Amino acid sequence: MCGIVAWYSQSTGPELVETGREMLSRIVHRGPDDSGQTLVGERTWLGHNRLSIVGLEDGAQPLEGPRGWAMVCNGEIYNDAQLRESLSGFRFGTGSDNESALALLALHGPRALDRLQGMWALCAATPDGRFIAARDRLGIKPLYWAKVGDTHLFASEMRAFSLDVQHAVAAFPPGCWWTPEDGLVRFAEAVTPAEVRADAVEQRTRDVLVDSIRRHLMADVEVGVFLSGGLDSSIVAAVAADEYARRGARLKTFSVGTTGSPDLAAAREAAEFLGTEHHEAVFDAAQAIDALEDVIASVESYDAGLIRSAVPNWFLAELAARHVKAVLTGEGADELFAGYGYYHEQHPAPGELRRELERTVGLLHGLNLQRCDRVTMAHGLEARVPFLDTAVVTHAMSLPDEVKLLGEDGIEKSHLRRAFTGWLPDSVLWRRKLEFGTGSGAQDLLTPYWERQVSDDDLAVARADTDTQVRSKEELAYYRAFRRALPEIRPHSVLTRFALA
């Protein structure tokens, strides 16, 4: 995992090399282990800050390949071993999983990128002026870009861009690649459903998840699990703990909350049942308020729901980073298996639920995945999301709506719970859904605080500003902190701004 920066220009100058170096320095937190850069021909510069997870000894970037190709990549390629077997015409020089992405580009061009299974964003170039930028189908790993004159700038975070460029920054769209010749081209959709047989559906759901979780443990370092005590993270912990036991090792799990919060209690119960080495971070109101500026600057958002969950995530990542360099999380399960109450309240008609799930899966890159990536990488920690593996997404989105409806007792994700019967204590397996900001206790600290601190008049003035679009006093407070961190970013322009070719 890492942070990447690149630029491509039709008319380069020496000052652009310094621009790249300055951008790279602003995201050094994403890769504290190493840093590398290279000028590729006259039109491209590539920079990389590295967090070493796979290929510890020989995985430094930029990576070099045949025909002058050079590449920087942020992410993990989980089918690296299979790709290496199939790409017999490429001489691999490192143990880095990212090199399989470079091999695909060098041998088959950007149209082969749909063969990559994992989370990634990359920029690559050759000395003769070829250049490509691309991002995984779900946008699990971040990438932003800006066009200034005849120069395109790319970076893992918005904060990398200087103030005079921030007005032009946009999110690079997931599932797309860009070249100067072809423009922006989509190579993969977020959701590609397949047919699922009606028999043994729960067994197949369990099998596909177990396989994904085990593959996401691929690393040359120890991997832990964020364990909230909710269904999704507990399933991940259960499978990971079983895999670590097979290796003769003990899984490390991490939970967070205020004193007496329900998440802490449930996580302890799950950890004891699974026999993990469990660690806790406990925070109070003063600590939560003190951390807000750093959290908002890191997450690069002011959405109140996102920040309420990002605050406990901040303390959780800080704790985990003292013990491991990578963690698995339960992100994406609610969007795949209809875990949120509004899915069932607002989309009860046949077909409606599927369409809404597809919509929200497609938006994850600008919401929960953004929070997950930024908060962990702020502490030099890699977060992996096994529920969002391509095979899991394809399976889950192929299930009929009926499988995802509320159970007779009104509880959500009954299908997923039944699939993992026996893997967890029933009190955890059938624990009702609580938003992370609620279960950790963060909402009870933050929302009342800002209700007292922000006046009704301030909120009325902010709501009259069509560029601000805040929904509450709490969100107004977060918007002000967002503005201090990124004064020139247009908050609602960091969705895709460039048309697809």
Side-chain angles (χ1 to χ4, degrees):
M1 197 59 61
C2 62
I4 61 174
V5 169
W7 55 253
Y8 171 85
S9 182
Q10 294 289 348
S11 57
T12 63
E15 70 280 358
L16 282 178
V17 173
E18 187 57 35
T19 294
R21 289 171 178 166
E22 290 176 357
M23 292 177 68
L24 196 62
S25 71
R26 297 187 190 109
I27 56 170
V28 69
H29 56 275
R30 294 187 67 90
D33 293 336
D34 192 16
S35 185
Q37 57 183 281
T38 188
L39 187 62
V40 186
E42 298 180 350
R43 295 183 177 180
T44 299
W45 181 94
L46 304 174
H48 182 269
N49 288 325
R50 186 183 185 211
L51 179 66
S52 304
I53 303 293
V54 177
L56 302 183
E57 300 300 324
D58 60 1
Q61 297 191 30
L63 293 168
E64 297 181 355
R67 307 184 188 107
W69 276 102
M71 183 192 75
V72 290
C73 182
N74 168 30
E76 303 289 351
I77 310 300
Y78 297 119
N79 63 333
D80 171 58
Q82 294 86 346
L83 288 171
R84 286 176 181 250
E85 288 184 10
S86 68
L87 298 170
S88 57
F90 187 91
R91 178 176 291 182
F92 286 87
T94 78
S96 170
D97 57 295
N98 288 176
E99 195 175 5
S100 57
L102 178 59
L104 276 179
L105 283 175
L107 295 179
H108 302 295
R111 297 189 184 280
L113 290 173
D114 64 349
R115 294 174 60 185
L116 295 176
Q117 294 178 15
M119 53 181 190
W120 53 271
L122 63 83
C123 293
T126 62
D128 61 5
R130 284 178 290 171
F131 178 88
I132 181 172
R135 190 179 183 193
D136 69 69
R137 68 181 65 226
L138 285 174
I140 299 173
K141 288 293 100 184
L143 187 64
Y144 294 90
W145 61 338
K147 186 176 186 295
V148 182
D150 63 0
T151 298
H152 286 79
L153 301 163
F154 302 83
S156 295
E157 296 185 14
M158 288 186 278
R159 72 172 82 187
F161 297 89
S162 61
L163 289 178
D164 61 328
V165 174
Q166 284 186 7
H167 70 281
V169 173
F172 192 93
C176 293
W177 52 264
W178 179 87
T179 64
E181 299 79 22
D182 298 324
L184 196 60
V185 178
R186 182 170 298 283
F187 69 85
E189 298 293 338
V191 176
T192 54
E195 291 297 323
V196 174
R197 299 201 319 267
D199 61 307
V201 172
E202 287 167 8
Q203 179 180 330
R204 263 194 295 281
T205 294
R206 181 173 60 254
D207 289 347
V208 74
L209 270 168
V210 168
D211 176 67
S212 175
I213 294 165
R214 287 176 175 166
R215 283 187 288 107
H216 278 70
L217 291 171
M218 173 198 79
D220 294 329
V221 297
E222 191 173 8
V223 180
V225 172
F226 279 174
L227 177 59
S228 71
L231 174 67
D232 313 324
S233 66
S234 296
I235 287 174
V236 173
V239 178
D242 179 70
E243 178 62 21
Y244 262 64
R246 292 169 185 260
R247 303 176 185 179
R250 190 180 181 198
L251 178 72
K252 291 183 172 69
T253 53
F254 307 91
S255 65
V256 66
T258 58
T259 301
S261 60
D263 275 6
L264 280 182
R268 286 172 194 156
E269 183 178 3
E272 183 176 358
F273 180 87
L274 298 173
T276 68
E277 180 186 316
H278 192 56
H279 302 267
E280 294 181 351
V282 180
F283 66 95
D284 58 23
Q287 290 170 308
I289 300 302
D290 287 345
L292 274 172
E293 291 281 337
D294 289 336
V295 171
I296 292 167
S298 170
V299 175
E300 300 183 326
S301 172
Y302 60 90
D303 179 272
L306 209 61
I307 300 305
R308 282 196 296 266
S309 63
V311 168
N313 255 153
W314 179 268
F315 297 113
L316 186 59
E318 185 178 54
L319 167 68
R322 297 200 292 267
H323 299 272
V324 295
K325 295 187 74 170
V327 292
L328 306 189
T329 83
E331 299 291 347
D334 287 315
E335 289 78 8
L336 294 177
F337 294 97
Y340 298 124
Y342 93 91
Y343 284 135
H344 308 282
E345 296 163 4
Q346 299 179 22
H347 304 280
E352 271 192 37
L353 179 59
R354 177 187 299 271
R355 288 190 292 273
E356 180 62 9
L357 293 175
E358 290 179 353
R359 186 186 75 85
T360 52
V361 167
L363 293 175
L364 274 171
H365 66 94
L367 295 168
N368 290 355
L369 290 175
Q370 181 169 324
R371 181 253 303 147
C372 178
D373 171 85
R374 301 303 193 284
V375 172
T376 52
M377 291 305 293
H379 294 90
L381 180 72
E382 175 180 288
R384 299 178 173 186
V385 286
F387 273 98
L388 294 177
D389 180 79
T390 301
V392 178
V393 173
T394 299
H395 169 80
M397 298 307 291
S398 302
L399 295 171
D401 283 1
E402 293 74 20
V403 170
K404 302 178 184 180
L405 297 178
L406 297 177
E408 293 182 1
D409 55 0
I411 199 165
E412 80 292 337
K413 293 188 289 194
S414 294
H415 165 73
L416 188 58
R417 298 173 193 275
R418 288 192 299 269
F420 282 88
T421 297
W423 287 71
L424 293 162
D426 284 350
S427 55
V428 174
L429 187 67
W430 293 94
R431 182 188 176 209
R432 289 183 179 274
K433 170 72 180 176
L434 279 180
E435 299 282 351
F436 187 46
T438 304
S440 65
Q443 181 172 354
D444 290 340
L445 299 181
L446 294 171
T447 304
Y449 176 84
W450 292 116
E451 284 294 324
R452 297 190 300 269
Q453 294 295 316
V454 178
S455 71
D456 292 338
D457 289 343
D458 281 349
L459 181 59
V461 170
R463 282 179 168 171
D465 182 352
T466 56
D467 289 333
T468 306
Q469 299 181 23
V470 296
R471 295 167 292 185
S472 65
K473 294 179 179 180
E474 181 182 8
E475 197 158 83
L476 175 55
Y478 301 155
Y479 174 78
R480 289 168 172 169
F482 175 90
R483 271 277 161 256
R484 289 191 290 273
L486 296 165
E488 300 301 325
I489 290 288
R490 289 182 289 177
H492 301 287
S493 72
V494 290
L495 298 175
T496 304
R497 293 177 58 249
F498 295 95
L500 289 177

